[in-house]
Amino acid sequence: YTISGLWKVVGLSYKWFVTKENMHWFHPEAAIRNAVSGHIDADVAFDRVAFLFEYPLVWQLLFPVMMFLQFFNFVAAFNQRLRPLIVLGDISFHVVNSIVFLISFWFTPLLLAVLFFPYHKIKSILKP
């Protein structure tokens, strides 16, 4: 995930400083265009998620948050207290991509949940 976050920084920098390309993740229409494209590819009606794009600023702010989270994912390897929060962010990222953009990586969030959440502690809490 850290490499993915780094790659987003590199790609965005390249678009801004080298190509001067107008369409990038901070563009107000970037998220909706990506979502429409995913729905067209999957032959699914876009109506069910269209309301989520009424405020493009939300998506423009979520991009740097996710980029920052991905960039610092390596911290999870060394800090056990932050690991659940970071993994929860990664899982949320994949679930949102699957539902909103139809970019499905269903196996990845399930694997992250199984590998990084302390099920033994949850099980002991739920015992009567």
Side-chain angles (χ1 to χ4, degrees):
Y1 284 97
T2 298
I3 299 298
S4 178
L6 178 63
W7 186 245
K8 286 175 179 64
V9 172
V10 170
L12 189 61
S13 298
Y14 178 77
K15 283 186 176 186
W16 274 350
F17 301 117
V18 176
T19 67
K20 306 290 187 203
E21 189 174 324
N22 188 29
M23 186 52 64
H24 48 73
W25 274 110
F26 288 116
H27 191 282
E29 293 180 12
I32 194 168
R33 286 185 184 192
N34 195 24
V36 168
S37 173
H39 282 75
I40 289 171
D41 285 346
D43 198 23
V44 174
F46 180 71
D47 302 354
R48 66 185 183 93
V49 295
F51 70 95
L52 295 172
F53 298 96
E54 290 179 17
Y55 302 100
L57 184 60
V58 171
W59 296 102
Q60 290 172 290
L61 293 174
L62 283 174
F63 175 72
V65 168
M66 193 58 226
M67 187 172 59
F68 180 81
L69 178 70
Q70 282 186 326
F71 188 73
F72 287 101
N73 250 242
F74 72 91
V75 172
F78 305 105
N79 190 322
Q80 213 166 11
R81 290 182 311 153
L82 288 177
R83 188 174 301 145
L85 182 63
I86 291 171
V87 172
L88 187 61
D90 292 336
I91 290 171
S92 300
F93 165 73
H94 284 295
V95 170
V96 167
N97 275 341
S98 295
I99 293 170
V100 178
F101 299 101
L102 298 183
I103 301 169
S104 295
F105 293 100
W106 284 107
F107 181 75
T108 306
L110 293 173
L111 180 65
L112 287 170
V114 168
L115 290 176
F116 293 106
F117 282 112
Y119 286 101
H120 63 286
K121 291 181 181 178
I122 294 171
K123 186 177 177 183
S124 66
I125 292 171
L126 295 176
K127 279 187 179 178

